[in-house]
Amino acid sequence: MPNIPAFIDALQPEELAILRQRGPNQVLDRAMVHAFDRAAGGPGEGRGYYVVRDRLEPLAHPDHRRYYLREDVAAAVFAARLEGASGAGS
C-alpha cells in the first residue's frame, strides 16, 4: 500500500509546484514519471502513485502510455496545498 504523505514529502519542491500548477487531471510527462519513481525509491517504484486510464492493448510500447495521478494521490497533493495556504496566514 503506497504511503502517500511520505511520497509527497519525497518530491522536490519544484516537482510539487509543477504538479499543483498543472492540476489534478494532468497527463504526467516523462520527467514527472521519473520524479515519481525517484520519490518512491527507484526505477518503476512510482507505479503505485500514477495510473494508466487509457486502454493498454493498442499501446504496446510503454513510452506511448498516458499516465495520470491516482485519484487519492491527487486529492492528497491538492489538499496539502490548501492546508499550507490556510496555515500561511495564521
Side-chain angles (χ1 to χ4, degrees):
M1 169 85 38
N3 183 338
I4 296 171
F7 169 75
I8 292 171
D9 287 344
L11 289 169
Q12 298 295 319
E14 54 276 359
E15 295 163 346
L16 197 52
I18 290 169
L19 277 175
R20 291 175 174 156
Q21 177 186 11
R22 293 180 183 170
N25 295 316
Q26 67 187 281
V27 175
L28 300 174
D29 61 21
R30 186 183 308 230
M32 194 56 67
V33 169
H34 289 300
F36 274 38
D37 288 345
R38 180 202 46 77
E45 295 298 315
R47 285 179 284 194
Y49 301 97
Y50 54 81
V51 295
V52 177
R53 289 189 192 157
D54 304 320
R55 292 182 51 201
L56 296 177
E57 294 82 27
L59 303 173
H61 197 276
D63 288 340
H64 298 139
R65 293 186 184 144
R66 294 192 305 177
Y67 297 104
Y68 298 85
L69 292 168
R70 226 174 64 183
E71 286 185 30
D72 55 345
V73 174
V77 165
F78 290 94
R81 176 178 68 178
L82 295 174
E83 289 170 8
S86 65
S90 300

